[in-house]
Amino acid sequence: MTVTAEAAPVSRAAGATLVLLTLATGQFLMTLDSSVMNVSIATVAKDVGTTVTGIQGAITAYTLVMASLMITGAKVGAIIGRKRAFTIGCVIYGAGSLTTSLAPSLPVLLLGWSFLEGVGAALILPAIVALVASNFPTQRRPAAYGMVAAAGAIAVAVGPLIGGFCTTYFSWRWVFAGEVVLVLGILVLARKIADAPVGERPRLDYVGVVLSALGLGLFVFGVLRSSEWGWIHPKPDGPSWGGVSPTVWLMLAGLLVIWIFFRWEARMESHGEPLLRADLLRNKQLAGGLAMFFVQYLMQAGLFFVVPLYLSVCLGLSALATGARLLPLSLTLLAAAIGIPRLWPKVSPRLVTRCGLLALLLGTCVLLATLDADSGPEVVFVPLLLIGLGIGALASQLGAITVSAVPDDRAPEVGGVQNTMTNLGASLGTALAGSVMIAAVSSAFLVNIQHSSAIPDRVKSDAQVQLAGGVPFVSDADLEHALDDAHVSRQTSAAALDAYRGARIDGLTSSLVLLAFVSLAGLFLAQRIPRSQPT
């Protein structure tokens, strides 16, 4: 059988599309677990016989395992081969999803969801970066990386919708059972992926593995616990180490261990095989791309924390309705991530990056200007379109920028550092947005109570004492229930509700102001992004 000259490019294009779809699905799956169960925490806790805190700990542990092992996962990929690391990671991840779907208790849930899926993701994500580089020529990489990054961002957007739908109509376990099916599909399609070329196989630096995992783990764990413990001053119901929040000590300890890790790696460069070569972070283009990844994921995580809270808590929308309101973002995100490289393949990456940051800034500012106690769900439509455009523009360029900064054989190494930065950005984005929001809600609520003539002085005095440790972000119904339990009069209860509604909006807008400043800072950091496309 002969293949015509016209049919050969079509066949190659179809094969490339299938490879890209496989890798993008892998990225979608890895990111989905970070958002899919947030709307179903109470149901999951009841089913496995634990508390909400236990399930939140499982979600935290997944992020922790993934972030801690990302650099190690990249090195393992260099040793055993990137395609093999990808497929082994998928098998481990699939085993974790299956274990989670059948989990009868919290320890089994932690084993499947937090540990096995975290280890699988640490192997898969760096391998995806290397496999895109090995399967697509330089000029097609921006579009390929854009599609992969867009798949991850869309997973964050549709995660609550999928989780809410399955929990409402079936069971949360179906989400993880569905992940097993997706993993099987990825493994079948992965046969079409061309492996990245492997030169001399390096040895694993075991001391570096321990130091990097310990340092990153301590730092990320401190960040993730900041909302419960406080950043510097310990919360009244939280632990205290020497009069200071454990968050500070954990982050300092993490940074110290990371410094020791870099000292060890510098020594290993002259005496052995380092886990991470120091010259990687001295590369100006790579450092610029990593900084932009950090900013993108910090903004993305912060906005995906604030907007769903407004829709679900302030407006009382269901998980399904909240997820549906986030879908417009996915449309512009996909359009920008795929369309920009395809329509303007030679456009300046620095220009696109700055336009993406400006779109994020504009979307955040429009939301700031329109968000108030009387606004409805329609106010998020235009801001989400702009935010999606910004994230998509960044996604269309950053992957190709980081990988093109070094030879192709170092792509997995870049993948490990890149995914570490994205995890750090996402963790900090959620933690900072959450802590700023709670602090602003607490302060504004107390001020509003003190200025309300309908609230008796005795209640004001009691509130000053009882709310000193912070005010939780709750719905009107939850606050009404708490006030009824406290036997507060109807007039006082109505005044307290009005005071809290205003404070809640103040908290959300304070978080949005912080995120606006982050996008502005990103514009300064974009100076390190190259002006011309990689060649």
Side-chain angles (χ1 to χ4, degrees):
M1 179 179 177
T2 59
V3 179
T4 64
E6 293 81 3
V10 172
S11 175
R12 284 197 297 271
T17 301
L18 197 60
V19 167
L20 183 56
L21 180 64
T22 305
L23 297 174
T25 304
Q27 182 77 39
F28 177 89
L29 203 54
M30 299 305 99
T31 313
L32 187 68
D33 266 9
S34 301
S35 63
V36 73
M37 283 294 103
N38 285 338
V39 296
S40 311
I41 289 175
T43 306
V44 179
K46 183 179 178 182
D47 283 358
V48 298
T50 186
T51 62
V52 168
T53 304
I55 302 303
Q56 288 172 332
I59 296 172
T60 300
Y62 170 69
T63 304
L64 193 64
V65 170
M66 186 167 54
S68 302
L69 297 178
M70 203 62 72
I71 294 174
T72 303
K75 196 68 172 183
V76 170
I79 294 171
I80 67 174
R82 286 83 188 193
K83 184 175 177 179
R84 184 178 295 174
F86 179 77
T87 53
I88 291 173
C90 285
V91 170
I92 295 172
Y93 191 92
S97 296
L98 181 61
T99 303
T100 306
S101 69
L102 301 172
S105 62
L106 181 61
V108 178
L109 190 79
L110 287 167
L111 172 65
W113 191 359
S114 306
F115 181 71
L116 291 176
E117 289 193 15
V119 170
L123 285 170
I124 293 167
L125 290 171
I128 288 175
V129 176
L131 291 171
V132 169
S134 65
N135 281 267
F136 295 90
T138 305
Q139 65 271 21
R140 291 195 60 192
R141 286 179 194 168
Y145 281 119
M147 180 64 180
V148 169
I154 288 170
V156 178
V158 303
L161 184 64
I162 295 172
F165 177 80
C166 288
T167 304
T168 302
Y169 295 106
F170 305 103
S171 167
W172 60 271
R173 297 179 187 275
W174 283 50
V175 175
F176 294 96
E179 287 185 355
V180 177
V181 175
L182 273 179
V183 166
L184 291 174
I186 290 170
L187 289 171
V188 171
L189 296 176
R191 292 179 298 175
K192 299 285 185 182
I193 299 173
D195 199 359
V198 178
E200 183 180 347
R201 296 187 186 274
R203 292 190 300 273
L204 191 60
D205 170 18
Y206 292 102
V207 175
V209 166
V210 173
L211 289 173
S212 66
L214 180 62
L216 289 168
L218 286 170
F219 186 86
V220 173
F221 184 64
V223 170
L224 292 172
R225 300 299 293 174
S226 60
S227 58
E228 287 84 15
W229 294 345
W231 282 97
I232 299 174
H233 298 293
K235 292 192 173 182
D237 55 346
S240 172
W241 297 354
V244 179
S245 168
T247 296
V248 173
W249 298 115
L250 288 169
M251 292 176 69
L252 286 174
L255 289 173
L256 176 62
V257 175
I258 290 170
W259 178 81
I260 295 171
F261 165 72
F262 280 116
R263 294 297 90 214
W264 172 262
E265 294 304 292
R267 179 178 178 276
M268 286 295 291
E269 283 203 61
S270 55
H271 296 90
E273 181 69 39
L275 187 68
L276 180 69
R277 283 174 277 185
D279 66 308
L280 203 67
L281 300 181
R282 290 195 293 266
N283 184 309
K284 181 180 176 181
Q285 178 179 323
L286 177 60
L290 293 175
M292 286 298 99
F293 265 116
F294 181 81
V295 170
Q296 177 195 335
Y297 276 79
L298 194 154
M299 288 287 298
Q300 186 175 302
L303 289 165
F304 276 119
F305 176 81
V306 172
V307 176
L309 270 184
Y310 168 70
L311 293 171
S312 61
V313 177
C314 296
L315 301 183
L317 299 186
S318 66
L320 286 174
T322 298
R325 287 286 176 176
L326 297 174
L327 287 179
L329 176 144
S330 303
L331 300 177
T332 50
L333 194 157
L334 265 179
I338 300 171
I340 291 173
R342 184 165 294 179
L343 298 176
W344 300 286
K346 295 183 178 180
V347 69
S348 165
R350 187 184 298 179
L351 176 64
V352 176
T353 299
R354 284 177 169 164
C355 288
L357 289 166
L358 285 170
L360 278 170
L361 176 61
L362 184 59
T364 305
C365 290
V366 171
L367 192 55
L368 264 171
T370 55
L371 200 64
D372 58 50
D374 298 320
S375 55
E378 67 281 351
V379 300
V380 305
F381 181 74
V382 171
L384 286 180
L385 291 178
L386 291 167
I387 290 165
L389 199 62
I391 295 173
L394 292 171
S396 74
Q397 305 297 313
L398 297 185
I401 287 168
T402 54
V403 172
S404 67
V406 297
D408 280 357
D409 63 341
R410 300 190 68 182
E413 204 173 353
V414 171
V417 179
Q418 177 180 303
N419 281 291
T420 299
M421 291 301 288
T422 59
N423 273 283
L424 287 174
S427 300
L428 274 172
T430 304
L432 287 172
S435 59
V436 168
M437 183 193 71
I438 294 299
V441 169
S442 302
S443 175
F445 188 36
L446 287 171
V447 169
N448 291 349
I449 285 175
Q450 296 302 320
H451 286 84
S452 175
S453 59
I455 298 177
D457 291 338
R458 179 183 56 79
V459 175
K460 291 179 182 179
S461 178
D462 290 345
Q464 196 76 34
V465 174
Q466 293 179 18
L467 302 179
V471 178
F473 197 91
V474 296
S475 65
D476 288 354
D478 288 339
L479 182 58
E480 280 188 63
H481 184 69
L483 291 170
D484 288 343
D485 287 347
H487 306 293
V488 175
S489 69
R490 287 197 173 184
Q491 183 181 5
T492 302
S493 178
L497 277 168
D498 287 339
Y500 186 70
R501 288 191 189 104
R504 208 164 45 193
I505 296 298
D506 286 347
L508 293 172
T509 53
S510 296
S511 294
L512 290 172
V513 168
L514 170 69
L515 295 172
F517 274 107
V518 171
S519 59
L520 275 174
L523 287 170
F524 290 97
L525 295 172
Q527 188 66 28
R528 287 196 164 197
I529 301 299
R531 293 181 182 273
S532 57
Q533 288 290 341
T535 57

